[in-house]
C-alpha cells in the first residue's frame, strides 16, 4: 500500500513528537503492508527547507534501522485565497512534487470560500486532492458541493479513521457514502502518532475489501496513490451524484 497523508515528520505540527516516534510509526506502517508514505505536515506557508531536512534525517534513520519504507515529500496545505499564488511561486509542496496538492479547510467553515479556492488552484494547473471531505460539517450538510468540486476536477481523499468509525457515526456515514458513490480517489491514514490515529493500514484494507471489493481496496490504497505520487492521471469513475 501507499499512504499519501501522514504527520510522520516530528516537530512541525501535531504529529510525531520526535524522531523516535516517527520511527515507530514507520515500523507500524511497514508491518501493516505500506511500502511508501508521504509526509504531509500542516502548512500555510512554505517550510520547504525544514521539511526537506527532516525527511533526509528520517530516511537515514530508516536505512540504519533496516525499515523498508520510502518517505515522500508533501504538505497538508490549509487552503486560503493565497494558496494558488503560493503554489505558482513554488512556495508550497505538492504530493511528491506532482500536480496534486493535498488541501484541507477549516472545520468551522461555512463552505462559502472553498469552491473559489479550489477553482483558482485548478486554473493554476493543479489538481487539488481534498483531504477528508467527510469530516467537514458543511459538506455533510450540503453534499452537492462534492458534485460541484468533482465536476470542476477535484479529487477526494478519505481518512481510514472515518471509515472505521473513529470520528463518529455521521462522519463514517459520509465516508461510506463517498466510497459507495465512487467519489473517493484514495484512502489514507492521516496518521498523527504511534498510539492514536496510527499509520496501521491493514484494518482499513480489510474493511474496504469486505464491504466494497478487493479491487476497490487495491484502487484506493495502492493503485491511485501510486499514480498520484508518480504524477500520472487518475482514471475517472462516473460517480452517483448527490441529489
Ligand atoms: Fe492531516
Amino acid at each position: 500500500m501507499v499512504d499519501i497523508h501522514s504527520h510522520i515528520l516530528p516537530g512541525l505540527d501535531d504529529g510525531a513528537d520526535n524522531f523516535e516516534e516517527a520511527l515507530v510509526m514507520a515500523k507500524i506502517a511497514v508491518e501493516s503492508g505500506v511500502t511508501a508514505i508521504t509526509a504531509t505536515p500542516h502548512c500555510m506557508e512554505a517550510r520547504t527547507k525544514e521539511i526537506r531536512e527532516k525527511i533526509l534525517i528520517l530516511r537515514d534513520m530508516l536505512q540504519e534501522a533496516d525499515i523498508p519504507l520510502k518517505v515522500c515529500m508533501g504538505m497538508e496545505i490549509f487552503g486560503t485565497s493565497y494558496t494558488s499564488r503560493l503554489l505558482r511561486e513554488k512556495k508550497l509542496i505538492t504530493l511528491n512534487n506532482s500536480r496534486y496538492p493535498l488541501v484541507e479547510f477549516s472545520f468551522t467553515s461555512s463552505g462559502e470560500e472553498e469552491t473559489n479556492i479550489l477553482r483558482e488552484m485548478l486554473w493554476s494547473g493543479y489538481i487539488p486532492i481534498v483531504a477528508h471531505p467527510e469530516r467537514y460539517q458543511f459538506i455533510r450538510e450540503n453534499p452537492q458541493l462534492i458534485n460541484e468540486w468533482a465536476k470542476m476536477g477535484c479529487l477526494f481523499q478519505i481518512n481510514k479513521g472515518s471509515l472505521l468509525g473513529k470520528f463518529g457515526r455521521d462522519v463514517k456515514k459520509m465516508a461510506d457514502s463517498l466510497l459507495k458513490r465512487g467519489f473517493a480517489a484514495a484512502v489514507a491514514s492521516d496518521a498523527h502518532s504511534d498510539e492514536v490515529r496510527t499509520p496501521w493500514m491493514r484494518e482499513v484494507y480489510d474493511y474496504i475489501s469486505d464491504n466494497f471489493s478487493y479491487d476497490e481496496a487495491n484502487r484506493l490504497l495502492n493503485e491511485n496513490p501510486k499514480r498520484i505520487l508518480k504524477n500520472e492521471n487518475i482514471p475517472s469513475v462516473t460517480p452517483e451524484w448527490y441529489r
Side-chain angles (χ1 to χ4, degrees), residues 126-146:
Y126 295 92
I127 300 175
I129 299 184
V130 179
H132 44 63
E134 72 281 2
R135 294 194 62 204
Y136 299 112
Q137 193 177 346
F138 70 87
I139 290 203
R140 296 196 300 273
E141 286 173 352
N142 179 21
Q144 284 83 2
L145 259 184
I146 291 287

Side-chain angles (χ1 to χ4, degrees), residues 1-6 25-38 68-72 158 160 163-164 186-189 198-209 213-229:
M1 281 176 275
V2 170
D3 190 355
I4 59 163
H5 184 168
S6 80
M25 288 171 75
K27 271 186 206 161
I28 291 171
V30 168
E31 282 167 14
S32 75
V34 173
T35 54
I37 195 164
T38 314
L69 183 68
K70 188 177 169 197
V71 185
C72 301
I158 315 304
K160 70 150 184 166
L163 290 164
L164 299 176
V187 170
S189 73
T198 73
W200 181 262
M201 292 299 277
R202 198 180 298 160
E203 196 179 355
V204 77
Y205 186 92
D206 291 343
Y207 174 83
I208 300 171
S209 298
S213 68
Y214 169 78
D215 283 351
E216 188 68 347
N218 218 24
R219 187 178 77 86
L220 298 174
L221 292 160
N222 194 16
E223 291 168 4
N224 278 354
K226 268 188 195 153
R227 289 183 181 116
I228 290 164
L229 298 186

Side-chain angles (χ1 to χ4, degrees), residues 5 7 42 76 190 192:
H5 184 168
H7 301 267
H42 295 287
E76 183 173 14
D190 196 3
H192 277 67

